[in-house]
Amino acid sequence: VDPGVVGGLVDAWRSPRGEDASDDEEEEHLGRRRRVDGSVQVRCGGFKGMLLACQRFRDSDRVEVPKSMCKFAAGAFLGVVSWSVIRPTALSQPAALLLVERGVDKAYLLDFHARHLRKITGAINFGLALHLLGHDGDKGESSVGYANYLQVFRKLLMAGFSTSQNPLRHVLQDWQRKVLQRARTSITGPTAWNARGHPDKMRRLTGEQVFLMVPSSHGDELWRVVKGKVVIFFSTDRRPSALRVAEAIDDEELRQECEATDTCGVLLFSVQGKRLQRGLGWDFDGDYFT
């Protein structure tokens, strides 16, 4: 590989995290929606796909690039980098129905959705405004969805602007309508997440095992490990056969690796044994999984 290409990858990876980081980038670390610094999508020198940080190269100018990432002929190529993000998500009605068919308790989903509806309806006071603008008290970001431009109006609210003053009033009313409209076609549950998928390079997982750390709202704990049976799918693939039931496990070595390399929040798939994604077109070049 051309050393200049590798250097370009390293520079592109490191440069956005320097002293010039913007306020918007800092916002990514708040609440339940968080940027994952150790997982980046790249386009550089003929390479296309995902890079995952690892401790072996942490203090060097080297990156590990899978052969499958070489998509184009080497040469001049525009490098584009996007940071991975983990965020809570709502379930579409078809996805919710498929989950019920697979054994998820319908009353469990509807109960949490009813709580969500109670939070987003009614006259807009300070508490509802804070929730609509992407923050839910001590729990961090709410599950009403998120848009970057709302950060500006959240700052106005916290600075003392009244919810009856424009433009804050107009924005809140408009966003409330959008959230209510979205609630007609989706189910808000407590434990649905969007996360980018990566293969387990440490080979700690086998068969249909996965590993995932999600943002925590309990005490001083920033991340928690998901454990037990989980359902994984693409939100755009509504075939019943596209839902896969996996076993989420806790692994001390994977946890330490994620914490040391800023990769908490990525979904790790096994590369050993019977593959979870057999018969499906799942890959790890930037796809998000629910």
Side-chain angles (χ1 to χ4, degrees):
V1 179
D2 182 352
V5 172
V6 177
L9 287 171
V10 174
D11 291 342
W13 198 338
R14 291 178 174 171
S15 59
R17 288 182 289 174
E19 297 178 355
D20 295 330
S22 67
D23 290 339
D24 289 348
E25 289 171 347
E26 292 302 321
E27 288 282 350
E28 298 289 357
H29 292 290
L30 301 177
R32 299 174 68 209
R33 180 185 190 274
R34 298 181 192 172
R35 192 182 67 200
V36 182
D37 284 338
S39 169
V40 293
Q41 187 176 35
V42 298
R43 304 285 191 276
C44 189
F47 287 95
K48 171 184 179 291
M50 297 297 301
L51 291 182
L52 188 68
C54 63
Q55 293 193 75
R56 286 184 297 152
F57 302 137
R58 188 171 188 180
D59 297 321
S60 73
D61 288 332
R62 299 176 63 195
V63 292
E64 186 175 58
V65 182
K67 291 182 180 179
S68 60
M69 277 181 57
C70 189
K71 310 286 187 181
F72 315 101
F77 198 82
L78 176 64
V80 179
V81 176
S82 66
W83 301 100
S84 294
V85 170
I86 183 170
R87 53 188 168 238
T89 185
L91 299 171
S92 66
Q93 286 183 354
L97 291 172
L98 288 175
L99 289 177
V100 171
E101 288 294 321
R102 296 296 292 267
V104 175
D105 186 1
K106 177 172 63 176
Y108 174 75
L109 293 176
L110 292 178
D111 177 60
F112 275 92
H113 190 58
R115 297 184 198 179
H116 171 64
L117 289 175
R118 288 195 292 270
K119 283 185 176 182
I120 62 177
T121 54
I124 299 178
N125 54 24
F126 179 83
L128 177 54
L130 201 59
H131 183 72
L132 290 172
L133 294 176
H135 192 79
D136 194 14
D138 294 335
K139 294 184 179 180
E141 187 181 333
S142 68
S143 56
V144 299
Y146 192 73
N148 285 333
Y149 74 88
L150 293 179
Q151 295 175 15
V152 175
F153 296 97
R154 187 168 66 197
K155 291 176 181 178
L156 287 178
L157 181 69
M158 299 305 294
F161 276 76
S162 169
T163 56
S164 61
Q165 288 180 271
N166 282 323
L168 187 57
R169 175 173 174 269
H170 173 76
V171 169
L172 286 170
Q173 290 177 340
D174 183 60
W175 188 244
Q176 185 183 39
R177 282 194 296 269
K178 291 179 180 178
V179 171
L180 287 169
Q181 185 175 10
R182 187 182 306 156
R184 297 176 60 185
T185 58
S186 62
I187 300 292
T188 298
T191 53
W193 298 88
N194 272 354
R196 266 201 170 121
H198 284 276
D200 168 29
K201 295 190 295 184
M202 296 181 65
R203 304 180 76 84
R204 300 287 300 173
L205 305 172
T206 60
E208 298 179 348
Q209 293 178 336
V210 296
F211 180 84
L212 176 65
M213 297 179 72
V214 299
S216 173
S217 57
H218 301 292
D220 296 330
E221 184 182 45
L222 292 178
W223 299 90
R224 63 178 178 85
V225 177
V226 175
K227 292 179 283 187
K229 295 290 184 182
V230 295
V231 178
I232 301 175
F233 59 94
F234 275 142
S235 58
T236 55
D237 193 342
R238 298 176 179 177
R239 296 173 298 158
S241 61
L243 273 71
R244 295 295 161 91
V245 179
E247 182 73 22
I249 69 165
D250 190 2
D251 183 272
E252 183 65 26
E253 290 192 27
L254 286 177
R255 194 189 317 159
Q256 291 177 359
E257 177 76 7
C258 289
E259 290 173 347
T261 57
D262 293 326
T263 54
C264 297
V266 299
L267 176 62
L268 296 178
F269 289 88
S270 169
V271 296
Q272 304 180 100
K274 191 176 182 181
R275 302 294 180 88
L276 182 71
Q277 64 270 31
R278 61 192 179 280
L280 299 173
W282 295 4
D283 54 32
F284 309 111
D285 64 352
D287 292 326
Y288 275 95
F289 296 86
T290 298

